[in-house]
Amino acid sequence: MTQKMNVESFNLDHTKVKAPYVRLVGITEGAHGDKVHKYDIRFTQPNKAHMEMDGLHSIEHLMAENIRNHSDAVLDIGPMGCQTGFYLSLINHDNYDEVLDMLEKTLKDVLEATEVPACNEVQCGWAANHSLEGAKEIAEEMLKHKDAWHEVF
């Protein structure tokens, strides 16, 4: 990398990180003082592994629905195009340990799920591409390493 790029993750040396981890990407302050905290929740090691699409798609639905049961600060949680993690955006919430706690609770919700929410053609743009078992495998693997989520490098 020779020049700084506009996208924060393009400035991150993906060869140096040690997934899984949870990393504060940045804080954006709005015109009225609200602060959006964006987190990189990395499930797999960049350029070495990735989540299979059907499992990633299902864990996306499950986390998007369930994480909001653990915090009113959630604006969005969405997958990275590289299929190695998710971005989580929170408003006016800067407690990193609480973020780890809400992620753990949400992943445990995934393990207890009996179906993928909104897994139908009315509510989902690719309803045929889901795997509850794949989502559970991803969640289980991430939870195995929760003691190291704070270690990025």
Side-chain angles (χ1 to χ4, degrees), residues 44-108:
T44 64
Q45 185 63 35
N47 299 299
K48 303 291 182 194
H50 67 277
M51 293 175 275
E52 293 299 323
M53 193 60 214
D54 57 353
L56 179 147
H57 191 187
S58 295
I59 201 169
E60 173 200 8
H61 278 230
L62 287 155
M63 289 196 311
E65 182 64 19
N66 288 301
I67 198 166
R68 289 166 169 87
N69 296 331
H70 305 297
S71 175
D72 291 333
V74 176
L75 291 175
D76 190 38
I77 185 164
M80 298 174 181
C82 60
Q83 298 174 233
T84 63
F86 287 82
Y87 286 114
L88 171 65
S89 296
L90 303 170
I91 191 160
N92 299 324
H93 187 285
D94 64 355
N95 188 314
Y96 179 80
D97 290 330
E98 287 180 8
V99 171
L100 298 183
D101 184 57
M102 82 174 73
L103 177 61
E104 179 181 2
K105 288 176 181 174
T106 301
L107 291 172
K108 287 180 178 179

Side-chain angles (χ1 to χ4, degrees), residues 1 3-14:
M1 295 182 297
Q3 81 181 57
K4 185 172 169 60
M5 300 191 72
N6 293 324
V7 178
E8 187 278 341
S9 67
F10 294 167
N11 297 305
L12 175 70
D13 187 339
H14 287 70

Side-chain angles (χ1 to χ4, degrees), residues 28-36:
T28 303
E29 187 167 345
H32 301 287
D34 285 319
K35 292 183 181 178
V36 176

